[in-house]
Amino acid sequence: MNANELKLLSPVNVGPLSLSHRVVLAPMTRLRSEADDSPSAMMVAYYRQRASAGGLLITESAHPSYDSRGYIGAPGIYTDAHVEAWKQITDAVHASGGRIFMQIAHDGRQSHVDLSWGNAPVAPSVVPYETTVLTQDGWVPNSPHRALELHEIPAIVESFRRAAERAKEAGFDGVELHNANGYLADTFLQDGTNTRTDAYGGTVAKRARFSLEVVDAFASVWGADRVGVRVSPSGRWGAISDSNPQATFGYFADRLNTYGLAYLHVIEPRVMGTETLEEGAEPVASSFLRQHFFGPIIAAGGFTREGAESILQRGDADLVAFGRWFSSNPDLPERFRHGHPLTPYRRDAFWGGNESDYIDFKTYDEELQAQVVAESCTSNE
């Protein structure tokens, strides 16, 4: 298909923002923050490289408090120093004409006592779970978690609200609640991890209460049209599960639809090519949620250009977020526009490291220039 005919490269509005294309940088944890959880100079370069005029970037998840971390090296948004460091990123993105939302997440039970002053990770309920998390001693098993007491929950919601305030001070264009991948908000929502019998558990309305309180907190700072929410209805990351995901996520999307949010960000089962899903994956989630949420939907899940165009043409999504391919192709929208080949991503550099395979990827034009220089040097030998 001619690039001029691609819906992927056509304008779209997200809340009050007018975007020139629908290619979104997906939030992708890279674990390259400073020791105090401030964004590093590497991160400034990373987001600057991927900013484009009228394009939307969503940051890797930032933590609203010291004890909400699950991985050392992930950024925070709970101190004034963090605000100042994030300002360098928002300034760099805006200088390129881009827009940027901050994703905010509490990692919940996916954590370790060494990351929270020796305190056990928290969750809505105690449901045995094993994974590995990154501490100063490297990748280690997560610590056993404990169930939050009822009186503790308002303080966590307040930490999200304050984080949203700090994100605004740092110059972001909006915020996104990470309500996916088995982190704290997601574990409240789904009944496989929420076995509470109080005001935050039992019925789907009660299980959705925590997330909706955070959305309310975000909206009180930003206005709802600058707030997004990310969900993973088909996800299994973090040993997450629900006995009736259609009922749970249908209800949740219905409630979110009343806010006038900037968008709903939906993680699909990973898409291979245009339509084929990985073995064992469930049918795509966006088409179901479209029946409940009528604002902009961002789909994410390993899309190619063709797969992204397909879901947009079907009307199941309005924008498509790319993580892996954006990691190795800082000019991804332009590569899609011109049909240029994509540089392979480096999976072993995703979670931590240095500048290598992080900010040393070239644009397509830079690759051509480097090739010309190399050929010139060879011919002169």
Side-chain angles (χ1 to χ4, degrees):
M1 180 180 291
N2 186 291
N4 294 328
E5 300 173 347
L6 286 174
K7 190 170 185 179
L8 184 61
L9 299 174
S10 67
V12 67
N13 292 328
V14 171
L17 307 180
S18 296
L19 305 178
S20 62
H21 60 78
R22 301 165 189 249
V23 180
V24 178
L25 173 66
M28 190 175 181
T29 296
R30 304 303 301 274
L31 303 181
R32 285 169 169 82
S33 294
E34 301 290 357
D36 68 348
D37 295 343
S38 293
S40 63
M42 280 189 290
M43 291 171 61
V44 178
Y46 177 81
Y47 288 105
R48 178 193 294 118
Q49 291 170 351
R50 286 151 186 82
S52 62
L56 175 63
L57 312 182
I58 306 173
T59 72
E60 58 210 278
S61 58
H63 298 112
S65 60
Y66 180 86
D67 58 354
S68 65
R69 305 176 304 156
Y71 307 91
I72 198 167
I77 186 62
Y78 54 88
T79 72
D80 291 343
H82 296 159
V83 172
E84 293 305 311
W86 280 113
K87 279 182 181 178
Q88 298 180 49
I89 290 176
T90 59
D91 286 348
V93 170
H94 291 151
S96 297
R99 300 290 195 167
I100 184 167
F101 273 47
M102 171 181 277
Q103 185 188 81
I104 303 175
H106 188 304
D107 287 356
R109 66 181 188 166
Q110 298 186 47
S111 191
H112 191 275
V113 293
D114 287 353
L115 300 175
S116 55
W117 300 299
N119 298 317
V122 296
S125 308
V126 175
V127 178
Y129 166 69
E130 294 181 2
T131 187
T132 56
V133 297
L134 185 62
T135 72
Q136 62 269 26
D137 296 321
W139 290 95
V140 300
N142 61 305
S143 299
H145 57 280
R146 68 173 180 84
L148 282 163
E149 298 290 340
L150 188 63
H151 69 85
E152 296 177 294
I153 295 176
I156 294 180
V157 174
E158 172 61 17
S159 74
F160 275 96
R161 189 198 65 79
R162 182 63 183 121
E165 284 186 334
R166 291 186 183 279
K168 196 169 190 178
E169 293 168 12
F172 281 89
D173 297 295
V175 291
E176 175 182 288
L177 169 61
H178 194 0
N179 203 113
N181 294 349
Y183 295 117
L184 185 64
D186 198 20
T187 57
F188 265 97
L189 181 62
Q190 302 202 52
D191 64 15
T193 45
N194 184 346
T195 61
R196 302 176 74 97
T197 57
D198 58 17
Y200 290 89
T203 66
V204 62
K206 290 181 178 180
R207 285 184 277 116
R209 179 177 174 178
F210 175 82
S211 299
L212 294 173
E213 287 182 349
V214 176
V215 172
D216 286 333
F218 282 179
S220 73
V221 175
W222 283 92
D225 62 353
R226 288 182 180 265
V227 175
V229 176
R230 195 179 210 212
V231 295
S232 53
S234 304
R236 295 295 177 263
W237 177 270
I240 198 74
S241 66
D242 192 87
S243 62
N244 191 344
Q246 287 202 341
T248 293
F249 286 92
Y251 173 86
F252 190 45
D254 281 336
R255 289 297 310 274
L256 293 177
N257 190 57
T258 66
Y259 282 88
L261 296 179
Y263 60 80
L264 178 63
H265 188 174
V266 182
I267 303 175
E268 302 281 4
R270 189 170 302 168
V271 177
M272 307 297 289
T274 56
E275 300 288 342
T276 306
L277 304 179
E278 288 185 333
E279 182 178 356
E282 298 177 12
V284 293
S286 298
S287 59
F288 167 71
L289 292 178
R290 177 63 88 190
Q291 303 169 41
H292 299 268
F293 185 83
F294 306 131
I297 289 179
I298 302 176
F303 285 92
T304 62
R305 188 182 84 156
E306 291 73 22
E309 185 64 19
S310 177
I311 197 170
L312 295 177
Q313 291 291 344
R314 291 199 306 272
D316 291 338
D318 303 281
L319 306 95
V320 178
F322 298 84
R324 289 172 290 275
W325 287 118
F326 228 141
S327 74
S328 53
N329 296 274
D331 58 337
L332 187 63
E334 287 305 302
R335 293 199 188 222
F336 285 162
R337 186 179 306 279
H338 298 290
H340 294 322
L342 301 183
T343 301
Y345 48 82
R346 310 289 196 272
R347 188 177 296 276
D348 58 357
F350 283 172
W351 291 62
N354 52 27
E355 294 91 344
S356 180
D357 295 330
Y358 180 61
I359 57 173
D360 56 353
F361 287 105
K362 296 179 173 60
T363 66
Y364 184 73
D365 288 344
E366 289 169 342
E367 288 177 357
L368 289 181
Q369 184 177 4
Q371 183 179 346
V372 169
V373 171
E375 291 174 351
S376 175
C377 292
T378 301
S379 64
N380 291 331
E381 289 178 356

